[in-house]
Amino acid sequence: MTLILCSCHQTVDSNMSVNQPDPLDISSQDSSVKPQSNFYLFANGTWLKTTEIPPSQSSWGAFSTLLDSSLNRLNRILDSLAGITNASKGSIAQQTGDLYVSAMDSAGIEKKGYLPVKPELDSITAIKSREGLYYEIANEYAINHAPFFSFYVSADDRNSLINVAHFDQGGLGLPSRDYYFKTDSSTKKIRDAYLAFITKTFLLLGQSPGDAAKTAKSVFDLETAMAKVSKTPVALRDPIKNYHKIKVSSDPQMKKLTTVLKIPSDTILVGQPEFYKGLSSLLNNTPLETIKNYLCFHVIEDDADYLSHDFVDAKFTYNKLLTGQTQMKERWKRMTTMVDRQLGDNLGQIYVQKYFTAADKERINQLIDNIIATYTERIQQLDWMSDSTKQKAIVKLHAIVKKIGYPDKWKDYSSIDIRRDNIISNLCGTSHFEYNRSMAKIGKPVDRSEWQMTPPTINAYYDPTQNNINFPAGILQPPFYFSSGDDAVNYGGIGLVIGHEITHGFDDQGRQYDADGNLKDWWSAEDAKRFKIRAQNIINQYNGYIAVDTFHLNGELTEGENIADNGGLAIAYAAFKKTAQGKGNEKIDGFTPDQRFFLSHAQVWKIKTRKERLITMALTNPHSSPMWRVNGPVSNMPAFYEAFHVQPSDSMYRPDSLRVKIW
């Protein structure tokens, strides 16, 4: 595809030919709803009324159709590679094609039942001591499992040039620690289904119904005890309170753990020391048999999708209470996603060769430059920030590194032995490769060219320790970017995404990192206080929104994403106003340029979501639900009020005293 962008002093041609369809889906709009009453429903209401969510999906809309398109592209690549039977060992074609073939061999997988993971289960069953337990935990981490806690290698938040080992809380089977304790009927139903899933797993492993129920209850009780010493999702959002550098030589339990994991450093980061204190007590005092049962269950839970249908079905029966799906996604979609996850750079190389050009990359780069220039002006004009902090903010803004489309260098997976007839062995091999690659980074300089997402991914992200923004090739297409679209549509779409990711560098978490990516306070005390007041107003605003039924959004959990949504849209709009179309007032399909900008923003979030998924999101997801990602930010923007003539008597109206402007 071709992207049409230029510098701030030039503009995209906003005159679409008569044969060219409008990138705005006008047919989605509901004329019975006033934009001043509910802008989201005005923009998308007819589509929401008439659209049925496919039974295999938890939601459907702009993101979903783009994801489906991407999966179809990837699947065509994989089908082609799978047909190559004479590719040289270790080549991209051999590894990627054979991994996919092994995953799609449903008949062979069915015959094997759970035998492919039996060696792992036998290793767990053979544990005779607490010391043996620690070694088994280390073995599990090396081959695709993550029991009891979260361990990974990444930059030191206070010394972002060097990689260190991070230890965070983890090991729970339910979506978050709150699911173990909430008493509403929806959560109780999910807890019951999770316990039933554990029970079914042990039935399938050969236990009697009575024994399986007792075993499952012991595993669930252990996880509940772990949840009690875990922080809430909101508490995990504070980067300072979740940063603790320790010397393992002075901590016997962590010393034991780092020894079996073979971590070549005496210095580690522990996010939640109180969790590890509690976990240590549990590992030392819980019956060994219960711990072994916990490990066995999570091996099966992790690999269920790649075992016989009874294990697949057991997991889906539980998961559908979280998602609302009534059918499982097609196997080819699930396995295509798996290959992208395990061999992302192999598949990504082929994807970008076919679907993303150097011209695409350059044109997106120019748009980012436009938005950063606008962001600079916005910071300079802030009425709540001192000049000294403004200058530091601008330094950080201009230090942001842009990463577009795909990495500059690709991972070399050629050493991994991948075969066509054993998906579990292949998963262990690819995971072990990644584990060893991560371990080799400890104590070494951070490679800032690495990506955390694969090129086809429909997403984008900001990395605070590297101070960079990342836009995979997958998201650089409709409904975010239209090669033939007018400026209003593109700034309301991909411009919003760019502004959103940049703003993450200045949200409640990102603002605590400096231009070099170090967790370091660069704010004056008074400016920090003013920021927190405005951020609290964002929290208050979103706390008032209902996700579904009686479930409200959690303004503290979603604070960072809401700041990014509000800031991103405001910056994208300001950048749009520099274009010829933004300066004019020529209507297209009956809408002014400003109206088209806001409608494009609403079109991006044209998503219909099942009730179950909305509840799960409200409890665990740092993003607000789609309606409020539209109505929340626009209700804070005077330009929206002008564009759609919003009056004090209208539902979308927020008094000046309540409108939030941070960036």
Side-chain angles (χ1 to χ4, degrees), residues 67 70-71 74 78 96 99-100 103 143-145 301-306 315 329 331-348 411 413 416 418 423-424 426-435 437 451-457:
L67 176 59
S70 178
L71 284 173
L74 293 174
L78 289 173
T96 315
L99 178 60
Y100 184 64
I143 57 167
N144 195 38
H145 305 295
E301 193 273 337
D302 288 345
D303 289 341
D305 286 336
Y306 316 104
K315 185 173 182 178
K329 288 183 180 179
R331 185 177 189 88
W332 71 265
K333 289 184 178 180
R334 292 183 284 123
M335 298 307 135
T336 296
T337 300
M338 179 276 296
V339 176
D340 183 40
R341 183 175 63 247
Q342 298 298 116
L343 293 179
D345 279 22
N346 273 5
L347 195 53
K411 294 176 186 175
Y413 302 112
I416 306 173
I418 295 179
I423 178 58
I424 296 297
N426 289 339
L427 286 171
C428 288
T430 54
S431 299
H432 190 54
F433 169 86
E434 191 58 40
Y435 177 82
R437 203 177 70 84
W451 284 63
Q452 298 172 18
M453 292 179 177
T454 65
T457 302

Side-chain angles (χ1 to χ4, degrees), residues 431-658:
S431 299
H432 190 54
F433 169 86
E434 191 58 40
Y435 177 82
N436 287 338
R437 203 177 70 84
S438 293
M439 294 294 285
K441 296 177 185 178
I442 297 175
K444 305 288 177 57
V446 172
D447 180 359
R448 298 197 171 200
S449 68
E450 273 198 71
W451 284 63
Q452 298 172 18
M453 292 179 177
T454 65
T457 302
I458 317 298
N459 211 332
Y461 69 96
Y462 170 79
D463 187 329
T465 61
Q466 298 188 22
N467 195 28
N468 59 31
I469 48 177
N470 305 261
F471 304 98
I475 200 171
L476 304 177
Q477 52 187 316
F480 299 96
Y481 186 82
F482 295 85
S483 60
S484 57
D486 52 314
D487 282 328
V489 170
N490 284 322
Y491 275 91
I494 195 62
L496 157 72
V497 176
I498 294 167
H500 175 102
E501 298 308 334
I502 294 172
T503 303
H504 271 313
F506 303 94
D507 68 14
D508 63 303
Q509 293 176 304
R511 76 170 191 87
Q512 299 184 67
Y513 292 80
D514 67 13
D516 297 319
N518 292 310
L519 190 56
K520 181 180 179 182
D521 191 2
W522 49 272
W523 291 63
S524 73
E526 195 60 34
D527 287 333
K529 181 180 178 181
R530 294 190 188 106
F531 175 92
K532 290 176 182 177
I533 291 171
R534 284 161 175 76
Q536 184 60 51
N537 290 338
I538 285 274
I539 292 172
N540 296 341
Q541 176 183 348
Y542 285 81
N543 274 336
Y545 294 146
I546 295 175
V548 62
D549 294 344
T550 59
F551 290 86
H552 280 245
L553 296 183
N554 185 333
E556 290 181 293
L557 178 61
T558 58
E559 178 184 359
E561 295 297 337
N562 295 334
I563 290 173
D565 279 347
N566 279 264
L569 191 65
I571 303 301
Y573 175 77
F576 163 62
K577 294 303 286 183
K578 295 180 177 179
T579 68
Q581 185 188 17
K583 293 174 182 176
N585 203 36
E586 181 180 346
K587 292 184 178 180
I588 299 176
D589 283 341
F591 293 101
T592 68
D594 278 18
Q595 289 173 336
R596 290 178 64 80
F597 171 88
F598 289 112
L599 287 168
S600 175
H601 167 56
Q603 179 173 275
V604 164
W605 300 112
K606 184 175 67 178
I607 302 170
K608 190 170 185 176
T609 308
R610 297 188 190 277
K611 172 183 172 180
E612 295 87 347
R613 176 61 181 153
L614 286 171
I615 292 173
T616 304
M617 287 177 63
L619 295 176
T620 64
N621 199 309
H623 301 85
S624 295
S625 46
M627 179 185 292
W628 304 118
R629 298 196 73 171
V630 174
N631 287 355
V634 300
S635 69
N636 287 319
M637 292 182 63
F640 170 75
Y641 287 66
E642 294 175 14
F644 288 97
H645 312 293
V646 180
Q647 301 299 314
S649 58
D650 294 323
S651 301
M652 287 295 300
Y653 186 89
R654 285 171 62 82
D656 287 345
S657 60
L658 295 180

Side-chain angles (χ1 to χ4, degrees), residues 296-337:
C296 284
F297 167 68
H298 282 287
V299 164
I300 296 295
E301 193 273 337
D302 288 345
D303 289 341
D305 286 336
Y306 316 104
L307 302 177
S308 54
H309 81 277
D310 40 9
F311 292 95
V312 179
D313 292 345
K315 185 173 182 178
F316 178 72
T317 298
Y318 157 63
N319 279 337
K320 67 184 181 182
L321 289 183
L322 299 172
T323 65
Q325 294 167 249
T326 58
Q327 291 181 14
M328 209 176 301
K329 288 183 180 179
E330 298 93 324
R331 185 177 189 88
W332 71 265
K333 289 184 178 180
R334 292 183 284 123
M335 298 307 135
T336 296
T337 300

Side-chain angles (χ1 to χ4, degrees), residues 189-246:
K189 188 176 179 181
I190 289 168
R191 269 201 303 272
D192 290 343
Y194 181 54
L195 184 59
F197 171 36
I198 304 174
T199 304
K200 180 66 173 179
T201 297
F202 286 105
L203 281 170
L204 294 173
L205 292 177
Q207 289 191 2
S208 69
D211 288 344
K214 291 178 183 177
T215 301
K217 182 66 164 55
S218 70
V219 170
F220 185 83
D221 288 347
L222 174 58
E223 289 191 16
T224 302
M226 291 165 59
K228 286 180 180 177
V229 295
S230 300
K231 286 187 174 183
T232 66
V234 170
L236 292 173
R237 296 197 69 257
D238 189 325
I240 293 177
K241 291 182 179 178
N242 290 280
Y243 180 95
H244 306 274
K245 184 177 285 189
I246 71 167

